[in-house]
Every structure is written in structure tokens, then in C-alpha cells.
Amino acid sequence: MSIDYAQVLSQLRAAVGHDAVTDDPVRRFAWSTDGSYFRIVPELVVRVNEPNQVVAILEVARHHNAPITFRAAGTSLSGQAVGEGILVMLGYDGFRQITISDDHQHVTLGAAVIGADANAQLKPFDKKIGPDPATLASCMVGGIVNNNASGMCCGTAQNSYQTIASARLLFADGTRLDTGDEASKVAFARARPELLETLAGLARETQADTTLAERIRHKYAIKNTTGYSLNALVDFTDPFDLINHLVVGSEGTLAFVESVTYQTVDEARFKASAMAVFRNMVDAASAIPPLKTDAVAAAELLDWASIKSVTGKKGMPDWLSELPEGTAILLIECRANDQATLEGFTRQATDAIAHIETLRPIEFSTDPAVFGQYWAMRSGLFPIIGGERPKGTSVIIEDVAFRVEDLANAAADLSELFQIHGYPEGVIYGHALDGNFHFIITPHFRSQADIQQFDRFMQAVADLVVNKYDGSMKAEHGTGRAVAPFVELEWGPKAYELMKAIKAAFDPQGLLNPGVILNEDSEIHIKAIKQAAVVDDWVDRCIECGFCEKTCPTSSLNMSPRHRITTLREIARLEQSGEQAAAQQMREAAQYDVIDTCTACQLCTIACPVDNNMGMLVRELRGKQLTSTAQKVLDFQADHYGAVNRVLSGGFDLLHGLHKLTGDTVTGKIMALGRKVSSEVPYWDPDFPRGGTLPKPTLHGNDRPVVVYFAACGGRTFGPTPKDPDGTTLPEVMVTLLERAGYEVRVPDNTRALCCGQMWESKGDYKNADSKRTEMIDALKAMTNNGEYPVLIDALSCTKRTLQDAEIDFTLVDVVDFMASELMDKLTVYRRKPSVALHVGCTASHMNVGGKMETIAHHFADEVVRPAGIYCCGFAGEKGLFKPEINADALRHLKERLPEQISEGYYANRMCEIGLTRHSGISYRHLAYLMEECTRPG
């Protein structure tokens, strides 16, 4: 029976809110991707921020028999976070509670809590959660639990299965259960007695079947996430314990995980790492059994292909090029809570493998700079291979597991399969202590022949892993669709029937994530494969992993870089396949989401493992869209920028006076009328600043050291806002500070006309942007007395653009750097602030000055608060004036995350400070104001 999704849409909007549900074709396509090689476009997408919304969605889905896929961060690698029907995505505002028990032994986490954020809260107590997947900085707890994700150190002892204490769950029929609450369990037993009886019966039958029970125990002696967690049926008899542990690794097919309570594990204070270089894989593999002791926290294996792929790359050891062919490396890490124990562990590890010849001495280091280079080899594998792959190819990371004693032979066999099936670029690395190999290949999926080639390869891998070595087809990445056809092969018919019985008991209608884990289609792993159409060098390396989504300021509003790139890839695919009309239709429909609302803050480049830069691509695309009229306007502004800047500053003074005379309502109406005439008129906001001022130079000839001060556009155009405590402008404050510190201040005579070019670059007009930057650099250089005097710029974004890709042969620094290195030591502190807020925005992150900003703030304040989760204000230069919804969404949590005692905040970019002031309810100004006030005599 077909599903009437128009009715489903209407009912969902009535149940959970209109804006929470979309059937927009562009957005549905954008969210049809996860970290895997699959693409499945849902019919509807719903963002949820509270459990009652999920209950309502389940009710609508049951009524229409509509399938549901639950999605957390979408970093999954096996296709379990995409699906047909209704895609239910965890929103950006709910399911994020973190509650730590008084004794720090347990932590309760909402499903949308990012793993690294949980660990940041636990760190002061020397605790962490057990699971440690490589995606910990991006993945959410809901995904960690549902995939039973693990990583380098947690192994099988500290994964979700072993450390889960309880969970709050929602079932397909709408029933709810908190496995840690007795009253909830009693109520559930009345509501779902048949589920509890079925699970208890399955456990009894499994434990009574000694052959099957032993088979299950054998399979979980190594890492295994293939299929459901059948070990629960041999480990437990209580049905609530069974539910607790069957949900782990169930990939959203059994229930919705609202929250989970973990037993915390110790976070060691001291670490040491060594690099053991062996002549071959056999020797490296033989070192693993003696290292499987409490002394060793992790041992990562790199094969010869992995070593070759990183040799000669930035940050890699030079001596890699001297290694003979066939070399293998083990990266070994020991951890302890005191130095003496750590030293004992490192001696124990070294002695354990002393009988095996190595090509270099095994030397443990506790110096992060030294062992950081070791681990850069391991972490660098993925971005190097992903970044250097041919255009149009995909990146597939599979993970398998073998008994430790089989690792060497299995690695040789896998390498041979790479050659046989046309993937010579394949590399092997992984968590050696757990017998867990990851391998990477970069296949094309341009034709059916490419897909069939991949199928033959996967069939051969399954034969190798299952039939030859009795290993795990999935060790820690989850079954998904990628391995669903091989579950029965790996487990056998009897265990497979158990899995089907589990699914039927939990979800008799089969609504939850159908086709994942259990799938009767033997070719599901080669269907719905996404295409990686060539778009542009800035983003063609994208693997759609989703790491960018945490810090992107528009992820909640509409799209992240991943979504924008996958949309652009589809437009390119349509064009390349001759479907021009469809491509143009999608391009026009995607304009707002993909081009207009990208802030181009480039925070995505920091999180991206393959160095994509969506911000630069968007600017490039904006440049291509410039009409001849728009270009003439930009040319005029560049040629007459002094006058333009003067008019802008004066205009805000005029607006301030108008508002003072007429009030909010009249001023707002006048501005709204102006916007109907021209899109260059900003949206009205009562917190708009007054106009700025130019700095006044110090008189010459007083034998003081000289600095050249350049007041960037933001500070000289926009002055104080109504929320600021006084009427001083940034240029006035800067001159006061510099003179107080004993400097003679010189400023360019034509400051109004000078600009770094940022306002033109943001529109894609690089001709004018670079021309203005060159003009500015030349003017500033002329004032340095042949490089003798340093040049200071008072806006981080201006400093960044000036220094970026420019040849500068004189000292040019940001005011923040100068304050930290020169002014703090020269100025006497007369008073301190009790509490202040500090914003470390996107440009500060790019310039790596966050630490200096904190140092400055702590120098003058007893308490410095950085509101959690605020990475970019979303103001994006002047964009905040014309698309205020971006700024509003990016800072929607700012006010609630500021403690009541804080009445002032600081940053180092005027436009950002305007947006921060607007949405915090307090004054945000440049750090120079804090320094000036606290060092002011009297």
C-alpha cells in the first residue's frame, strides 16, 4: 500500500510544529547523505528537540505505516543514518543534557551530546566516557550507543555495551522506558509484557543451546558489531538488562535512545608513546600478544602502504623515506595516573617485545611535541589519502577484525585483494590490540562496471574474513547497509534467526530503520550509491563525513558545508549528465541555503580532515553571479571608498539621531520602506551603533617608540551601541592605550580610503579585494620608516586578510598580539573586573590567538567565561545587517549561557561585537576597552 506523504506531512506539522518538518526537495536531498557511500533521499525530514515530538512522530508513522530513520550526527560509515520515509534528525537545541553523579562514577547524557563535550565536562574529575571513536569530536551519544562505537583504547572492555548503566528509550508503539528507574520498569512491564517474555525466552533458549552460546562468546572475544548484540542473550537473564544491552549497537532499529547513563572510566593523567619499527608485518603482528597487558593502553598498526602514503608529507618524520620496503610500524601508548607507574609500564612494554628485532630503538617519550608527531602519522592517514584521491572518487573505510594471531596473514591477504580487484591504493591500519583492521580504498562509482568491481571485492573480503579466518565483518563501525547482506554468512542461520526474532519483538511493524542490519536483499550494499561529481578544487576532496557541522554557524538554520557540497555535487551531476533544466531548477532552489546564507567563516576548514574550504568556494560562486550592474557598484565603492566610508559612518549617526527623535516604531517603518527601495538598506535593529571616528595621531618629535596604527573599517565606521557603557570609539581607546604605554602613534592620512578588501572578497570580487589590499599595504609600508616601525591593525578579520597570501616585508600584527606581547607588561593594573565574557570567534580560531585573548582577559578579570558551543557569531561582516536570521540563529543560546553576574563581554572584531551585543543583552566591545579601563589611573 502506498503512503500518502502529503497527509503525513500535514499531520506531522500539526503534531510537532510547522518549521520542524520539511518536504523541500533541496533540503531533503542535502540530508540524504551521511559518512557512508550511500545516498537515500527521505520523503520528509523532521528535526526533534524533545521526547514528546518523537512520540508524536511515531504515532503518525504507525498510522500510515511510514518507515522512520533516526539520525544523530550522521558520521556513520555504513549507511545506517540515511533512509526512505521519515528522517528524524536530532536537533541542535534538545537532548543535550549532561548530568554527572556526585561521586563522578556515572554520567547521564542526552542523545545529542557530542562525545568530546561529555569528556570536557568529566575532565576536571579525571574521568571520561569509555567509548573513544575517532569521530568523538563530532559524533553524538545517540550514535555512539546505537553503533556500539569504539576506538583506539576502549577496546571491548570500555565500549557502550560494557559501560552502559541505563537508558531512556522510546519504542515504536509509543511506550517509554527508563531502565534505571524502578517505577518506569513496573509501568513498562504492564504495557509490554509480551516483549519482556519474548526476550527472557530467547535468553533461556540461547543459554540452553551450549553450541550456540559458545559460538556467541567466541564471536565477541574480538571486536564485533555485525548484527545485533547477541552477547546480551548469554550475558543476562533479566529482560531489562537484555533491553539495555540489545539496544547497544542496534542502529536505531529497535528503539529511540533519548538518553543514556554511562559508568565513567578513569582518564589517565600521564601518557607516553613509542614508535616500534619492524622489518615486516609478521614481526609487528608477533609483538601484539605480549603487549596485551594492563601496561599498554593502545597499539596502532600501520602497514607498508600506510607508511608510504604519509612519507614526505608535512609533519611526518624524515627518516620514513629510509625504511626498506615491507616495513611495519606499531605506535604504542602507555597511560597512568602517576609518573612512577607510567615509567614501570613503559619498561614493561619495552621488555615484552625486546626479543623481536626492530629497525630503530624503541624509545618512549612523554613530550607531547615528540609523541604528537608519532600519532600524526596515524591521524594523518585518512586526510592524506582522502585529500589526494582522484577527483570524482569516493572514500570507503571498512573495518574488520581477526584473532591477534591471524593479523599478519590476514593483512597480507587483504593487500592481495587490493591488487586483484583494482584498488592498489588500499592501505591497512588499525587497533592492533583488538585485532581490528581498518582499510581504505578510493573507488569510482561512475558506471555499473565500477559497482560490480566493488561488489566482487566485498564478496572476496567476506570470504576472507568469514570463511578463512572466522573474523568480524564489522568491528566497530556498525552493520548498516554495507554489511547487511553478510550478517547471516558470518553468524550462521540459527543466530540470524535469533536476530530476526529480536527485531520482530521490539518493532513488529518494521517501522524503525528498515533494511539496516537485517536485509534480505543480497545486493543492498551496492544499491543507492552516491555519486561524487566534480565541482571545484575547494571541495572535491569532501568525503561528506559531517565533522564540519559542530562549528558551522548555519547548521541549525539550514545547512552545513557537508549539505552545501552534496547539493552542489548533485547540480554538477545533473549538468554533466545533460539534465540542464533540472540542474538550473535545483540551483535556483538552493540559492538561499547554499550561497546566500553561508557565512564563509571557514571554520569548516579547521574541522575538515581533508582541508575542504566551503567558504572560499561560496565566495567564488558569488563572484560568478555578479551582474554587470553589481560589479559597477563594487568598482565605484572601491574607487571612492573614502567617501563611501564617510557616508556609512555618517549614516549611522543620522540613524541614531532619527531613532532618538522618533523611537523604534517610526524608525523601523522608515527602514522597512528603504528596504523596499534598495536591498542595500539594512534591517532595523534598536541596538544599531552610532557612527565611528578616525584615530588622531600623536604629535611627532617626543623621542618615544613609534607605532603605526590602522583603524579597520569596523571600528571607524561603527561606534558605540546603546548598550555600551560610554560613547568612546575603538580608535579613541587604542590611541589612549598606546600613548599610556609610552608610544608615539602615527596613522595614515587617508585612513578612510584604505581597506584590506574583505568586503569585496566576501562578494567574490577578488579584483577589487586584492587591489584594495595592495593599496593599503603600500600606504602602511610607506609609514614604517623602511620597516622600523610596527603596524597595528585593530580587527582580527582585517589582519587575517591583510596577511593572507600577501608579501609583506615589514612588521604587521594584530592589536591582540601587541596587547599580549607588549602592552600588558608596560601598563599598571589599577582595578580588576569581577567577571567578564569572552568570545573567541572564527577569525580568532584561524589566527590561533584564542590563548592570548584568554591571557589578556584573565590579566584584568577574576572570572572569564566563554559560553559553550559559540564558535562563530554568524554576523559575517555586513551580512548580519542584511540577513539577521543567521546571526540570530548562531547566537540563539548566547544569552542563556551567560551567568547573571556578567554585564560585559569582549572580542576583537567590531562587526562581531555588534551581533554579540544584539543577542546577549550586554555590551560586547574590543579587549582594548577592558585593558584601557583597568589600567586607567585614578
Side-chain angles (χ1 to χ4, degrees):
M1 185 178 69
S2 63
I3 300 169
D4 186 345
Y5 278 103
Q7 280 194 25
V8 177
L9 173 66
S10 176
Q11 292 175 16
L12 284 176
R13 283 179 166 167
V16 301
H18 186 279
D19 293 341
V21 191
T22 185
D23 64 342
D24 177 75
V26 171
R27 294 190 181 183
R28 288 192 296 114
F29 188 88
W31 291 320
S32 68
T33 184
D34 62 3
S36 73
Y37 60 90
F38 296 97
R39 179 182 308 290
I40 301 176
V41 182
E43 296 292 333
L44 303 170
V45 178
V46 191
R47 285 188 176 181
V48 295
N49 286 297
E50 56 183 57
N52 287 339
Q53 289 179 307
V54 181
V55 173
I57 294 166
L58 288 168
E59 183 177 357
V60 173
R62 287 195 305 274
H63 179 73
H64 292 276
N65 205 34
I68 293 179
T69 298
F70 297 125
R71 177 188 178 109
T75 56
S76 302
L77 296 169
S78 301
Q80 59 267 59
V82 292
E84 300 170 350
I86 306 169
L87 179 66
V88 179
M89 299 173 54
L90 293 178
Y92 291 86
D93 299 324
F95 300 104
R96 292 180 180 253
Q97 72 276 16
I98 301 177
T99 306
I100 302 171
S101 65
D102 291 341
D103 62 1
H104 315 134
Q105 298 302 307
H106 293 85
V107 60
T108 300
L109 305 170
V113 172
I114 291 173
D117 293 344
N119 282 348
Q121 295 287 315
L122 289 166
K123 187 175 181 179
F125 312 111
D126 294 325
K127 293 289 185 178
K128 63 179 180 178
I129 61 173
D132 60 346
T135 56
L136 199 65
S138 304
C139 65
M140 296 177 181
V141 166
I144 294 173
V145 174
N146 272 286
N147 292 318
N148 197 16
S150 56
M152 287 192 305
C153 296
C154 81
T156 56
Q158 295 182 343
N159 59 18
S160 291
Y161 183 89
Q162 297 294 348
T163 58
I164 189 171
S166 63
R168 292 175 64 92
L169 306 170
L170 289 169
F171 294 85
D173 67 347
T175 53
R176 305 174 75 164
L177 171 66
D178 180 349
T179 62
D181 181 82
E182 290 303 318
S184 177
K185 290 195 286 187
V186 169
F188 189 81
R190 288 196 297 265
R192 293 291 304 272
E194 81 292 343
L195 174 60
L196 301 183
E197 292 167 6
T198 298
L199 294 180
L202 290 174
R204 285 193 301 270
E205 293 170 17
T206 303
Q207 291 171 25
D209 187 336
T210 55
T211 302
L212 179 58
E214 182 54 35
R215 174 66 179 159
I216 292 171
R217 293 189 182 96
H218 172 77
K219 290 292 293 177
Y220 287 104
I222 59 175
K223 277 190 177 182
N224 193 323
T225 58
T226 307
Y228 289 117
S229 299
L230 293 185
N231 45 341
L233 299 180
V234 297
D235 291 343
F236 302 100
T237 56
D238 180 87
F240 292 106
D241 286 335
L242 289 166
I243 289 174
N244 224 25
H245 291 83
L246 284 169
V247 164
V248 174
S250 64
E251 301 176 29
T253 64
L254 302 184
F256 174 80
V257 177
E258 176 186 336
S259 66
V260 63
T261 298
Y262 278 123
Q263 302 164 22
T264 59
V265 301
D266 292 336
E267 171 68 300
R269 300 178 184 178
F270 298 88
K271 301 176 183 179
S273 296
M275 187 179 295
V277 184
F278 297 94
R279 192 170 298 277
N280 52 55
M281 279 289 287
V282 173
D283 288 351
S286 68
I288 296 166
L291 289 174
K292 283 182 69 68
T293 67
D294 292 340
V296 178
E300 294 289 294
L301 180 64
L302 282 71
D303 74 344
W304 175 238
S306 298
I307 296 168
K308 284 194 301 180
S309 70
V310 300
T311 299
K313 299 299 189 294
K314 184 179 178 181
M316 299 297 118
D318 294 335
W319 50 262
L320 291 178
S321 61
E322 303 169 5
L323 297 177
E325 184 172 353
T327 298
I329 290 176
L330 268 182
L331 301 178
I332 306 168
E333 180 160 290
C334 299
R335 299 179 178 184
N337 285 323
D338 60 81
Q339 191 63 42
T341 302
L342 180 66
E343 290 173 0
F345 281 170
T346 58
R347 284 194 302 271
Q348 184 179 337
T350 304
D351 292 345
I353 57 176
H355 62 287
I356 306 171
E357 180 188 6
T358 56
L359 299 179
R360 296 176 62 86
I362 300 174
E363 297 175 346
F364 278 89
S365 174
T366 58
D367 183 352
V370 175
F371 66 67
Q373 189 180 47
Y374 298 166
W375 290 99
M377 288 181 60
R378 166 64 171 84
S379 60
L381 269 173
F382 181 56
I384 287 171
I385 294 169
E388 295 185 353
R389 75 188 194 275
K391 289 187 176 184
T393 58
S394 298
V395 178
I396 294 181
I397 310 173
E398 287 293 353
D399 77 309
V400 293
F402 305 95
R403 294 178 302 167
V404 169
E405 55 266 34
D406 291 331
L407 280 181
N409 291 332
D413 289 342
L414 271 175
S415 297
E416 185 178 1
L417 291 184
F418 295 153
Q419 302 301 320
I420 292 172
H421 293 279
Y423 302 121
E425 77 283 358
V427 302
I428 300 171
Y429 62 98
H431 316 316
L433 288 181
D434 299 304
N436 181 193
F437 276 160
H438 298 305
F439 62 83
I440 302 175
I441 58 173
T442 57
H444 273 290
F445 289 126
R446 294 170 298 194
S447 67
Q448 190 60 33
D450 293 332
I451 294 172
Q452 289 170 351
Q453 174 188 351
F454 176 67
D455 182 31
R456 289 191 296 270
F457 172 71
M458 286 303 297
Q459 298 291 346
V461 169
D463 182 58
L464 175 74
V465 173
V466 175
N467 294 329
K468 184 170 183 178
Y469 291 107
D470 194 20
S472 306
M473 279 294 287
K474 281 292 183 180
E476 59 182 19
H477 291 170
T479 304
R481 290 174 168 82
V483 173
F486 308 108
V487 175
E488 186 171 9
L489 173 69
E490 178 174 329
W491 277 98
K494 188 176 287 189
Y496 193 67
E497 288 301 317
L498 270 181
M499 294 183 189
K500 290 198 290 187
I502 290 168
K503 170 65 173 175
F506 275 87
D507 179 25
Q509 269 186 271
L511 298 179
L512 306 184
N513 219 356
V516 166
I517 295 183
L518 305 179
N519 199 308
E520 299 304 317
D521 186 346
S522 62
E523 295 185 342
I524 192 65
H525 64 297
I526 54 170
K527 292 182 177 178
I529 294 178
K530 62 188 175 189
Q531 303 296 308
V534 175
V535 175
D536 188 277
D537 286 344
W538 287 118
V539 298
D540 282 336
R541 295 180 298 273
C542 179
I543 56 173
E544 301 184 13
C545 62
F547 290 8
C548 55
E549 293 185 11
K550 177 181 178 180
T551 55
C552 176
T554 61
S555 288
S556 170
L557 177 68
N558 50 12
M559 287 188 180
S560 71
R562 167 165 63 174
H563 302 131
R564 294 186 170 100
I565 291 168
T566 200
T567 303
L568 290 170
R569 281 177 167 169
E570 177 63 4
I571 294 170
R573 186 195 67 79
L574 290 169
E575 287 180 330
Q576 291 159 19
S577 62
E579 301 175 67
Q580 301 300 330
Q584 183 60 23
Q585 182 181 11
M586 190 171 192
R587 182 183 293 107
E588 292 173 359
Q591 177 69 29
Y592 176 82
D593 286 340
V594 174
I595 307 297
D596 295 347
T597 52
C598 176
T599 65
C601 67
Q602 301 176 64
L603 277 178
C604 51
T605 63
I606 296 176
C608 180
V610 293
D611 297 326
N612 283 310
N613 194 323
M614 187 65 206
M616 294 303 290
L617 174 59
V618 162
R619 289 171 178 171
E620 185 179 291
L621 294 175
R622 287 172 182 163
K624 293 177 181 178
Q625 293 180 351
L626 287 173
T627 64
S628 59
T629 301
Q631 187 61 63
K632 287 177 182 177
V633 171
L634 292 171
D635 291 343
F636 178 86
Q637 291 173 339
D639 293 340
H640 305 88
Y641 189 59
V644 169
N645 188 246
R646 192 176 299 110
V647 169
L648 281 172
S649 183
F652 274 90
D653 272 333
L654 182 63
L655 188 61
H656 175 76
L658 177 66
H659 178 231
K660 194 171 182 179
L661 287 173
T662 64
D664 287 350
T665 303
V666 174
T667 306
K669 288 181 178 179
I670 293 173
M671 295 291 285
L673 181 63
R675 280 196 59 78
K676 291 181 179 179
V677 176
S678 171
S679 61
E680 294 299 308
V681 176
Y683 284 92
W684 163 245
D685 186 276
D687 286 328
F688 269 165
R690 295 164 53 182
T693 61
L694 293 176
K696 296 180 179 179
T698 304
L699 294 176
H700 294 189
N702 55 10
D703 296 325
R704 290 182 164 198
V706 175
V707 294
V708 178
Y709 167 47
F710 178 66
C713 301
R716 70 176 189 253
T717 306
F718 301 103
T721 72
K723 285 190 171 67
D724 292 338
D726 59 56
T728 55
T729 65
L730 178 58
E732 292 169 340
V733 169
M734 278 307 310
V735 171
T736 298
L737 261 183
L738 291 166
E739 289 183 336
R740 186 179 297 162
Y743 290 97
E744 177 184 335
V745 183
R746 299 185 183 179
V747 300
D749 292 334
N750 61 336
T751 291
R752 283 280 187 204
L754 299 179
C755 179
C756 70
Q758 183 69 46
M759 65 174 284
W760 288 273
E761 182 185 314
S762 67
K763 298 175 177 65
D765 180 7
Y766 283 92
K767 173 179 69 70
N768 281 316
D770 292 343
S771 174
K772 294 301 292 183
R773 177 173 61 187
T774 299
E775 176 189 12
M776 174 182 139
I777 290 172
D778 290 345
L780 294 175
K781 181 179 179 179
M783 300 187 67
T784 65
N785 195 30
N786 295 318
E788 178 183 354
Y789 309 144
V791 175
L792 314 181
I793 299 180
D794 66 4
L796 286 171
S797 60
C798 181
T799 308
K800 178 178 179 290
R801 173 143 220 289
T802 304
L803 294 172
Q804 183 176 293
D805 302 324
E807 295 183 5
I808 297 178
D809 56 0
F810 58 93
T811 301
L812 186 150
V813 298
D814 191 84
V815 160
V816 168
D817 289 305
F818 199 76
M819 289 168 66
S821 63
E822 302 294 333
L823 299 187
M824 278 203 309
D825 291 340
K826 291 182 172 66
L827 296 170
T828 302
V829 179
Y830 291 100
R831 61 191 63 81
R832 292 175 60 82
K833 299 279 187 176
S835 299
V836 300
L838 179 67
H839 177 66
V840 178
C842 50
T843 308
S845 297
H846 285 297
M847 296 183 69
N848 198 29
V849 296
K852 292 179 182 179
M853 296 176 73
E854 292 206 42
T855 298
I856 294 168
H858 281 290
H859 192 73
F860 299 109
D862 297 328
E863 179 187 34
V864 178
V865 175
R866 285 182 58 182
I870 311 292
Y871 306 102
C872 174
C873 69
F875 209 86
E878 78 271 22
K879 190 176 284 292
L881 302 174
F882 305 104
K883 286 198 164 38
E885 68 271 22
I886 305 174
N887 178 227
D889 196 74
L891 297 181
R892 66 195 182 282
H893 295 306
L894 176 59
K895 190 171 186 177
E896 68 192 48
R897 292 177 183 174
L898 286 170
E900 289 184 4
Q901 72 270 19
I902 290 181
S903 60
E904 55 193 306
Y906 297 94
Y907 185 43
N909 222 71
R910 187 61 188 139
M911 304 305 291
C912 302
E913 292 153 15
I914 292 169
L916 290 161
T917 297
R918 177 187 294 176
H919 294 289
S920 67
I922 65 173
S923 166
Y924 266 86
R925 298 179 295 171
H926 195 287
L927 274 167
Y929 283 87
L930 176 65
M931 178 176 279
E932 191 283 320
E933 184 176 340
C934 291
T935 61
R936 187 188 304 162

